[in-house]
Amino acid sequence: ESRAYLAGDYNLTFAGMVPADKPAFVMVVTVQKPRTETLSTFVAVPLFSAIAREAVALWQVPNRPAALSTAP
């Protein structure tokens, strides 16, 4: 069994914490062999966002103060 990288095989990974200023969750999302995209920005990041949104709601993590938000 070879442990070499295979051309065309990708693992997309994104790690983050929610909320960023006082983390309640730290997560790593990995997608093995994505079917279409090869950038985490288009695959792993949206998954992280969806999971984080659900986790924050389920565990009732308080919202960050508006002054700390980086969203427009």
Side-chain angles (χ1 to χ4, degrees), residues 52-63:
R53 195 174 301 119
E54 292 293 324
V56 165
L58 180 66
W59 289 89
Q60 300 176 355
V61 176
N63 288 335

Side-chain angles (χ1 to χ4, degrees), residues 2-70:
S2 173
R3 294 196 177 262
Y5 289 100
L6 297 175
D9 277 355
Y10 296 92
N11 288 322
L12 307 179
T13 303
F14 180 80
M17 36 194 176
V18 179
D21 59 325
K22 189 175 180 184
F25 299 99
V26 176
M27 296 184 285
V28 176
V29 175
T30 299
V31 178
Q32 296 178 334
K33 297 183 181 180
R35 294 183 186 154
T36 57
E37 294 290 340
T38 58
L39 295 174
S40 291
T41 303
F42 299 114
V43 181
V45 173
L47 284 173
F48 175 91
S49 179
I51 294 166
R53 195 174 301 119
E54 292 293 324
V56 165
L58 180 66
W59 289 89
Q60 300 176 355
V61 176
N63 288 335
R64 302 186 323 164
L68 295 176
S69 178
T70 58

